[in-house]
Amino acid sequence: MDPDRPQVVVVGSCMTDLVSLTPRLPKAGETIHGSKFFIGFGGKGANQCIQASRLGACTAMVCKVGDDSFGNNYIENFKKHNVCTDYVYQTGAAATGAASIIVNAEGQNAIVIVAGANLLLNSEDLTKASAAITGARVMVCQLEISPQVSLEALKMAHKSGVRTIFNPAPAIADLDSSFYTHSDIFCCNESEAEILTGVQVRSPSDAGAAGSVLLARGCHLVLITLGGEGCVIVSKEVPEPKHIATSKVTSVDTTGAGDSFIGALAFFIAHYPQLNIEEMVKRSNHIASVSVQAAGTQTSYPYRKDLPQDIFS
Ligand code: RIB
């Protein structure tokens, strides 16, 4: 195996996160005081890629940013994290994606994204990146780029035997059925599961019910993340839902915790394929729980050196 060949390829979004910390989320029409404002690197796709990279995965990002200072800074951020930037395209036709994020005192958030350049990633861009996508061990995508482009990337990877992780975020109620059949792992959170299935998800047992609905649509394995409650797994091999709990921690900022989980999972699938999925999920839960204990999105993601080393055994 070529050690420099990207093993984890993410086809997805980059956003500049504009974050305000506030005591609570404002109501419609209300102005409230916040305590702090900062700008950081975000976007679900890039977050997943950076987390995998911080754990030691050999990664590549396929994405589009604007020909502007936010886009230039983002490319530097990828390079700093040893992410292959051969397929990071720049366009003058739209600005780099941006996310306005409000985080309350409990660490919960509300997010508005303006996807901008992300929506201009197209089929030709995927074709240029096809050798990387089809040569990877794992390919991850989400829904902050055009859904057709996500689906095309999933099909390209799946047909070549690359393990596919699809994160349907932000969720679309009437998701094309091909997304399910081309997802080896379909990973969403409670609210996304609810939008996709109509099943209210308030508990691990609700998540099991929603997961079974999603599994029946054709994916191989469904993971529903439940924040501090961990995650529920439903698979073709073991259709009985399995709850994997996580240790309780005090949350400072949960933004991007789901992305940290998915990036970690992609890392374990690519680099520790001998582990069973439950073990990978337990370790990924732990990594995501570290990320919620610090402010910011990527700034809160742990590096390999910061984690207990038995996670890598
Ligand atoms: O999942 C968290 C991410 O969602 C943020 O980084 C923000 O950019 C939005 O894409």
Side-chain angles (χ1 to χ4, degrees):
M1 189 189 78
D2 173 1
D4 294 330
R5 192 176 73 194
Q7 302 298 317
V8 174
V9 174
V10 179
V11 177
S13 57
C14 293
M15 306 279 173
T16 302
D17 284 354
L18 308 166
V19 187
S20 299
L21 305 186
T22 60
R24 61 180 173 80
L25 304 181
K27 299 191 190 110
E30 189 187 20
T31 302
I32 61 171
H33 279 278
S35 57
K36 195 174 175 190
F37 172 80
F38 54 89
I39 299 180
F41 296 107
K44 297 181 195 305
N47 294 343
Q48 293 161 9
C49 188
I50 294 290
Q51 179 64 88
S53 218
R54 285 192 175 188
L55 297 175
C58 186
T59 54
M61 185 75 199
V62 181
C63 63
K64 194 164 269 181
V65 295
D67 193 3
D68 48 31
S69 59
F70 284 150
N72 295 338
N73 291 343
Y74 222 122
I75 293 171
E76 281 314 304
N77 180 51
F78 283 134
K79 290 189 173 152
K80 204 179 97 194
H81 284 91
N82 296 319
V83 175
C84 167
T85 54
D86 293 358
Y87 316 103
V88 177
Y89 308 104
Q90 274 189 291
T91 176
T96 299
S100 301
I101 304 181
I102 299 174
V103 181
N104 72 10
E106 283 78 48
Q108 297 160 325
N109 61 57
I111 305 180
V112 176
I113 58 165
V114 178
N118 289 294
L119 296 178
L120 300 183
L121 187 74
N122 58 32
S123 296
E124 291 88 80
D125 299 325
L126 289 189
T127 304
K128 284 188 237 160
S130 63
I133 293 172
T134 58
R137 285 196 176 158
V138 186
M139 201 276 311
V140 192
C141 58
Q142 327 69 30
L143 290 175
E144 288 183 333
I145 59 171
S146 136
Q148 297 91 301
V149 175
S150 270
L151 184 54
E152 202 179 322
L154 270 180
K155 287 183 175 171
M156 191 186 267
H158 198 238
K159 281 181 189 151
S160 305
V162 177
R163 295 282 294 281
T164 54
I165 303 179
F166 176 55
N167 172 220
I172 305 173
D174 57 345
L175 190 67
D176 186 319
S177 60
S178 302
F179 276 103
Y180 298 98
T181 50
H182 290 89
S183 298
D184 290 314
I185 299 183
F186 189 96
C187 180
C188 58
N189 67 18
E190 317 84 316
S191 65
E192 290 146 5
E194 203 163 313
I195 292 169
L196 291 164
T197 64
V199 176
Q200 270 201 350
V201 181
R202 301 273 154 81
S203 65
S205 92
D206 295 344
S212 301
V213 172
L214 295 170
L215 190 72
R217 293 182 185 165
C219 27
H220 192 80
L221 187 142
V222 177
L223 292 175
I224 301 190
T225 57
L226 300 167
E229 292 298 320
C231 156
V232 165
I233 310 178
V234 193
S235 71
K236 278 192 177 151
E237 284 86 22
V238 189
E240 187 59 34
K242 173 110 195 171
H243 178 212
I244 310 284
T246 187
S247 42
K248 297 274 175 249
V249 296
T250 304
S251 294
V252 171
D253 183 350
T254 59
T255 312
D259 301 330
S260 166
F261 174 86
I262 290 174
L265 184 67
F267 163 76
F268 287 117
I269 294 173
H271 293 280
Y272 292 82
Q274 73 282 5
L275 296 177
N276 65 42
I277 186 74
E278 280 183 30
E279 189 55 37
M280 291 187 195
V281 164
K282 271 186 205 152
R283 295 180 189 199
S284 304
N285 267 344
H286 176 79
I287 291 165
S289 79
V290 172
S291 82
V292 304
Q293 296 176 65
T297 311
Q298 292 176 19
T299 44
S300 69
Y301 290 178
Y303 287 86
R304 188 181 182 109
K305 65 175 174 46
D306 304 324
L307 291 159
Q309 290 306 298
D310 58 0
I311 277 195
F312 303 101
S313 59

